[in-house]
């Protein structure tokens, strides 16, 4: 394996596990990254003017794509779908932070994960 293969695996692990952590382990935990003054993911979507149903749809997509990204460590053909889908959803997260005029620091995690997904897509191409 080449160094880029190891970098890809590390990036996939960081992004995949981190997003699973946010949506499955800490959805009801207040963090400084949540939009507005939200304490939970559902509250965050409400701050953005989005429904609880939409929150669950996005959550399902992010969890599914994160699992696909982790699976792509072994099944490389999944990489493009997973990283592109996550990149699109993360771009949406950044746009929502901007929409409600959040301080820029609240967009840092989504921006970093967006950049990591772009790097994954480029390295895997």
């Amino acid at each position: 394996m080449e160094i880029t293969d190891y970098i890809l695996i590390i990036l996939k692990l960081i992004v995949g596990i981190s997003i699973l952590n946010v949506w499955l382990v800490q959805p009801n935990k207040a963090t400084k990254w949540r939009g507005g003054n939200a304490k939970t993911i559902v509250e965050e979507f409400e701050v953005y003017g989005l429904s609880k149903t939409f929150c669950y749809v996005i959550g399902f997509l992010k969890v599914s794509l994160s699992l696909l990204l982790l699976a792509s460590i072994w099944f490389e053909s999944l990489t493009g779908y997973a990283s592109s889908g996550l990149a699109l959803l993360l771009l949406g997260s950044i746009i929502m932070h901007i929409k409600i005029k959040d301080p820029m620091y609240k967009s840092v995690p989504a921006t970093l994960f967006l950049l990591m997904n772009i790097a994954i897509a480029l390295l895997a191409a």
Side-chain angles (χ1 to χ4, degrees):
M1 284 189 9
E2 296 181 25
I3 189 73
T4 55
D5 296 322
Y6 290 109
I7 293 170
L8 262 175
I9 291 170
I10 291 167
L11 288 173
K12 289 176 181 183
L13 288 169
I14 291 169
V15 172
I17 292 170
S18 296
I19 292 175
L20 290 174
N21 177 54
V22 168
W23 283 90
L24 300 178
V25 178
Q26 300 188 56
N28 297 314
K29 182 179 178 188
T31 73
K32 66 180 181 177
W33 313 110
R34 298 223 184 270
N37 293 317
K39 304 278 187 259
T40 69
I41 285 183
V42 171
E43 287 179 15
E44 185 173 11
F45 273 70
E46 290 170 357
V47 168
Y48 297 145
L50 303 170
S51 70
K52 191 178 206 179
T53 301
F54 192 70
C55 175
Y56 292 136
V57 169
I58 295 299
F60 173 79
L61 290 172
K62 283 193 175 182
V63 168
S64 298
L65 290 168
S66 295
L67 291 171
L68 281 178
L69 189 65
L70 293 172
S72 76
I73 293 170
W74 297 278
F75 305 100
E76 292 178 16
S77 63
L78 299 173
T79 302
Y81 302 111
S83 63
S84 299
L86 283 171
L88 184 63
L89 293 173
L90 290 160
L91 180 59
S93 299
I94 295 165
I95 290 168
M96 288 295 109
H97 282 292
I98 292 168
K99 174 188 170 196
I100 64 165
K101 297 178 174 58
D102 263 341
M104 290 301 292
Y105 77 87
K106 290 195 176 197
S107 297
V108 168
T111 303
L112 288 175
F113 291 130
L114 171 62
L115 294 173
M116 285 188 234
N117 273 292
I118 291 169
I120 290 167
L122 291 174
L123 288 172

